[in-house]
Amino acid sequence: MLDLRNIRFALAAHSPADFPRDGRPQVCFAGRSNVGKSSLLNTLVGRSDLARTSKTPGRTREIHFYSLAERAYLVDLPGYGYAKVSKGMRRQWGRLIEAYLTDNDALRLMVAILDVRHDPSSDDLDLIAWLESQAIPYVLALTKSDKVSNNVAANQHRRILEVVDSETTGGKRDDAPSERRAIRFSAKTGEGRNELVRTVLRALGFVPATDSAASERLSQ
Ligand code: GTP
Ligand code: MG
């Protein structure tokens, strides 16, 4: 059985030459600086100490690969859209992320993380449009849901999907808005954790799509 807590830091990639090439399936996590990528990853695996979290935006500068049971990788991408880093630095990050995402046969899913309180930024929308143009499967995680009431979160959930739908063409039109999935999430309360665990394990090929009871057990 796969235990999500069976995870260890594997490597930090500073350049594409560092990327693992062992063919193990990967799920990556991306979002703006400070949106809560590392916190989400820690909550997902139930290990508060795995990925470093910080009040200082732009903390994670390399691509961090975490080995899951030596059978897969969870991948923490550096945050984008942080204004205070130099243009050169931003270009370098962009190139690294783009190299990671381009023609990556091992990548099964991106968890694209947005703050549930805010409309998607132009950087967020660029990323989503790019994922759609490259046909990279993704799910939206709308994080920090504990910071607003359920009502506000539900309204924002709807609104974010509307904005994404109106601002990205998707390249092809078989991606109806209802097909875009968004999971409300909180690293504080654990809201959305089980659903995200199921989604990630399924993307990695670890849980039969129909066996939700087993995936619940796996995620405990
Ligand atoms: P970078 O690596 O710098 O891009 O940041 P990140 O996206 O990894 O964000 P990180 O997980 O470090 O979280 C940033 C800040 O938001 C920290 O102060 C976290 O404690 C806080 N935070 C993250 N997720 C949540 C959440 O779901 N609820 C609340 N209340 N705070 C959160
Ligand atoms: Mg981080």
Side-chain angles (χ1 to χ4, degrees):
M1 280 226 297
L2 188 93
D3 184 349
L4 274 174
R5 283 166 305 186
N6 184 2
I7 189 162
R8 65 174 180 90
F9 176 74
L11 65 106
H14 300 265
S15 84
D18 302 327
F19 297 161
R21 313 225 176 259
D22 52 22
R24 290 178 188 164
Q26 305 177 3
V27 169
C28 72
F29 300 83
R32 299 186 76 185
S33 263
N34 216 38
V35 75
K37 292 173 295 299
S38 300
S39 302
L40 178 140
L41 197 54
N42 288 342
T43 303
L44 200 65
V45 300
R47 293 258 312 261
S48 60
D49 58 340
L50 186 73
R52 280 175 63 188
T53 63
S54 170
K55 290 202 191 321
T56 318
R59 184 93 204 182
T60 315
R61 299 185 179 199
E62 312 87 14
I63 299 184
H64 288 172
F65 289 81
Y66 296 90
S67 173
L68 188 57
E70 313 302 326
R71 287 162 68 191
Y73 292 102
L74 300 185
V75 183
D76 192 5
L77 297 178
Y80 50 80
Y82 181 50
K84 281 192 187 154
V85 302
S86 71
K87 273 211 175 104
M89 185 80 104
R90 237 184 296 173
R91 256 200 308 277
Q92 197 191 328
W93 291 1
R95 271 204 298 270
L96 188 63
I97 294 179
E98 197 171 323
Y100 172 73
L101 294 175
T102 304
D103 297 328
N104 185 345
D105 292 336
L107 180 61
R108 299 289 187 268
L109 179 76
M110 175 187 281
V111 179
I113 306 169
L114 305 174
D115 188 320
V116 74
R117 297 170 297 171
H118 307 303
D119 287 357
S121 69
S122 59
D123 286 330
D124 296 326
L125 294 168
D126 283 351
L127 175 70
I128 293 168
W130 196 78
L131 293 171
E132 293 184 351
S133 74
Q134 304 286 307
I136 297 173
Y138 69 92
V139 62
L140 301 175
L142 310 182
T143 197
K144 306 197 184 183
S145 68
D146 59 279
K147 291 194 178 236
V148 291
S149 69
N150 280 342
N151 248 344
V152 170
N155 284 336
Q156 268 301 108
H157 186 147
R158 203 173 316 117
R159 181 168 162 78
I160 287 169
L161 287 176
E162 275 166 19
V163 172
V164 169
D165 187 50
S166 66
E167 298 292 325
T168 61
T169 60
K172 47 185 171 31
R173 280 318 314 177
D174 56 346
D175 56 330
S178 57
E179 297 290 328
R180 287 203 183 85
R181 283 190 52 221
I183 299 171
R184 295 209 287 279
F185 190 91
S186 165
K188 207 163 172 181
T189 66
E191 180 182 10
R193 176 184 176 260
N194 286 350
E195 188 178 353
L196 196 57
V197 165
R198 276 196 296 277
T199 303
V200 166
L201 290 181
R202 201 176 296 148
L204 291 171
F206 288 144
V207 185
T210 50
D211 191 359
S212 59
S215 70
E216 285 292 351
R217 276 200 306 279
L218 286 171
S219 71
Q220 296 307 308

